[in-house]
Amino acid sequence: MFIYTVKSGDSLDSLSKQFGVPVSRIVADNALNFPNSLVVGQHLIIMSNSIRHTIEEGQTLYSLSMEFDTPLDELLAANPDVNPILLSVGEVVNIPISSDIPRRPAVINGYAYPSITESSLSCSLPFLTYLSPFSYSVTPAGELEAPRDDAIIQRAKNSGVMPLMVVTNIFDGSFSTDVLTQILANPEASERLISSILAELSRKGYGGVNLDMEYIAPTDKDAYNAFLREFSRRLHESGYILITAVAPKYRADQPGILYESHDYKVQGEAADYVIIMTYEWGYTYSSPMSVQPINEVRRVLEYAVTEIPSQKIIMGMPNYGYDWTLPFVRGTAATAIGFTAALNTAIRYNSEILYDEKSQTPYFYYTENGTRHVVWFDDAKSIDAKLRLVDEFDLAGASYWTINRCFIPNWEIVQNLFEIIKL
């Protein structure tokens, strides 16, 4: 498998002939809704182990080895009848393509709203270790409010995927600092919450808890750490696992209510895995930018592995981008957009897809009814680049927010890079 960047004049027919892959396979692997329309800069997954390349002016075997990331000796061996000193324009050479890293075992988690469609669920389940229906919320008294998750729990079990009970401090529709403060200050409420969770785990057949507590008051840091240790002890005694979700931090003393009470060291000691939510640099009210810039993710992971064992870290992956209206005005909202919808928009307006090398993220511009827009999203190339951080930092795996949208190229890349752990 390799990822090809569409150039001017390319068509599916020409790519099929060049790579020896049927058009139908290219369409299926890339979930192309408009197979007769490609745009410059679009990245396509090609399931082939070699390329038939026609030499252009100025190209050499060395330049081709650099361009296609293929060792020069492999290139020479694949073309025994080609004179490497006297290449001619129009001459055809074979370029072998091989994966540069072996498939490694990895855990893959997918968050899902219970409203997920059957087609989106079927798209993702074969590639998951854990399914995390979102979410149970809590009251100030430590009581639980359950989602309607019975159907997707059963679907997960039928597919060999372990369902996890997601518990959040969401109250009245948003994460609540005050609700968690009240629970932590009241031993009876804390005990009620732990006991209620244990009872629900048994009743529903969950394999463990995915604990996502956000906007924790800085003054509650010690109390929350103590709760986390006790909660972990009780879960493990009963045979359940604990996964926690934390904000992306660059350092231990990073200021802000999102970060201060997420103690990476304590989380790493208490939990079986820690999901670091490495996304939302670009968000609804931000200026236009990548949702998940790889340079920022790398900074977070460089710090995280000093506090949490790397094999306990699960890297967060966004399954969405944003569409901003231009010129950007502070306070205006961008619109969330799925990756397939983003690609279809680029095709509809024949927009060239550009690629920001620093963040490893594609983006494009289009104009609708006289209004200019910019869309930042992820595609095969950017997803592949970011998932390779799992190997670079020796992480446990990746977690998707959310799997409610199906993007087939993502799962093709996951399958290419990882042996997915099933429990």
Side-chain angles (χ1 to χ4, degrees):
M1 188 198 94
F2 66 97
I3 296 168
Y4 177 79
T5 304
V6 173
K7 300 178 177 64
S8 179
D10 282 340
S11 68
L12 287 180
D13 284 338
S14 67
L15 296 179
S16 174
K17 292 174 183 176
Q18 181 179 356
F19 302 127
V21 178
V23 168
S24 59
R25 181 68 192 270
I26 300 175
V27 170
D29 289 336
N30 294 279
L32 299 178
N33 291 335
F34 303 101
N36 294 323
S37 300
L38 300 176
V39 292
V40 172
Q42 183 176 359
H43 294 114
L44 297 175
I45 289 174
I46 305 293
M47 292 295 184
S48 176
N49 56 14
S50 67
I51 302 171
R52 288 178 56 78
H53 178 77
T54 303
I55 298 297
E56 300 172 3
E57 186 69 39
Q59 288 185 326
T60 65
L61 286 186
Y62 178 74
S63 72
L64 291 175
S65 76
M66 299 297 290
E67 180 181 350
F68 291 96
D69 196 24
T70 298
L72 184 58
D73 59 344
E74 292 185 15
L75 199 53
L76 289 166
N79 296 277
D81 298 327
V82 170
N83 187 331
I85 307 300
L86 298 173
L87 286 180
S88 303
V89 173
E91 189 172 2
V92 176
V93 296
N94 294 312
I95 301 176
I97 301 295
S98 59
S99 176
D100 58 354
I101 62 172
R103 294 173 72 199
R104 57 171 293 152
V107 296
I108 306 295
N109 176 66
Y111 286 98
Y113 288 105
S115 60
I116 188 171
T117 64
E118 178 63 28
S119 61
S120 290
L121 195 57
S122 297
C123 171
S124 304
L125 276 179
F127 310 100
L128 298 182
T129 309
Y130 302 112
L131 176 69
S132 296
F134 199 82
S135 75
Y136 282 77
S137 56
V138 297
T139 71
E143 298 163 338
L144 290 172
E145 296 181 352
R148 296 180 178 177
D149 55 0
D150 297 87
I152 60 174
I153 290 173
Q154 193 57 51
R155 282 284 281 109
K157 291 178 180 179
N158 291 345
S159 300
V161 175
M162 179 182 285
L164 297 176
M165 178 182 176
V166 181
V167 180
T168 70
N169 57 322
I170 290 176
F171 186 71
D172 285 341
S174 60
F175 285 96
S176 171
T177 302
D178 291 340
V179 163
L180 191 55
T181 293
Q182 292 179 60
I183 292 172
L184 295 174
N186 183 343
E188 291 183 359
S190 295
E191 175 57 33
R192 183 178 298 113
L193 178 58
I194 293 174
S195 298
S196 297
I197 291 171
L198 286 168
E200 193 73 351
L201 288 169
S202 176
R203 188 176 74 86
K204 289 283 189 71
Y206 278 114
V209 173
N210 185 330
L211 190 66
D212 181 14
M213 297 294 186
E214 303 184 28
Y215 294 92
I216 306 167
T219 52
D220 285 334
K221 179 179 179 179
D222 290 342
Y224 183 64
N225 283 344
F227 172 84
L228 197 59
R229 291 187 180 102
E230 175 63 12
F231 185 46
S232 172
R233 183 186 68 80
R234 298 273 292 276
L235 283 179
H236 289 143
E237 280 182 352
S238 299
Y240 299 108
I241 68 166
L242 173 62
I243 297 179
T244 60
V246 299
K249 297 172 65 167
Y250 306 122
R251 63 182 194 270
D253 60 350
Q254 187 164 328
I257 196 169
L258 268 176
Y259 312 103
E260 292 181 46
S261 290
H262 278 167
D263 187 324
Y264 276 25
K265 184 174 180 59
V266 172
Q267 301 260 348
E269 292 169 349
D272 296 280
Y273 295 109
V274 179
I275 295 170
I276 303 180
M277 296 179 283
T278 41
Y279 38 79
E280 284 289 276
W281 276 269
Y283 60 97
T284 304
Y285 292 101
S286 76
S287 57
M289 67 177 295
S290 170
V291 173
Q292 189 187 42
I294 196 170
N295 52 310
E296 300 295 344
V297 176
R298 184 174 276 110
R299 283 183 63 200
V300 170
L301 295 176
E302 285 170 349
Y303 162 65
V305 295
T306 68
E307 299 280 10
I308 305 169
S310 65
Q311 277 293 300
K312 283 191 171 188
I313 296 173
I314 298 176
M315 182 181 71
M317 292 287 291
N319 190 28
Y320 61 94
Y322 285 106
D323 181 328
W324 281 269
T325 300
L326 299 175
F328 172 72
V329 177
R330 182 69 59 185
T332 58
T335 302
I337 187 170
F339 301 153
T340 298
L343 286 168
N344 290 344
T345 300
I347 291 169
R348 185 179 308 120
Y349 293 95
N350 195 30
S351 299
E352 179 180 355
I353 296 175
L354 307 172
Y355 196 80
D356 180 64
E357 292 293 340
K358 183 178 181 180
S359 68
Q360 289 287 299
T361 312
Y363 65 101
F364 64 89
Y365 298 93
Y366 72 96
T367 300
E368 183 178 62
N369 298 325
T371 300
R372 191 162 167 78
H373 294 250
V374 63
V375 176
W376 287 79
F377 67 112
D378 278 305
D379 65 4
K381 182 177 180 179
S382 64
I383 290 169
D384 181 78
K386 293 163 189 177
L387 283 176
R388 286 173 185 266
L389 293 174
V390 171
D391 186 67
E392 179 181 335
F393 286 91
D394 192 27
L395 307 181
S399 172
Y400 284 84
W401 180 264
T402 67
I403 60 167
N404 280 60
R405 295 183 176 101
C406 175
F407 187 59
I408 288 174
N410 171 79
W411 301 118
E412 296 279 9
I413 293 164
V414 166
Q415 189 169 231
N416 183 62
L417 294 177
F418 307 122
E419 291 281 356
I420 300 159
I421 294 172
K422 295 285 189 176
L423 304 175

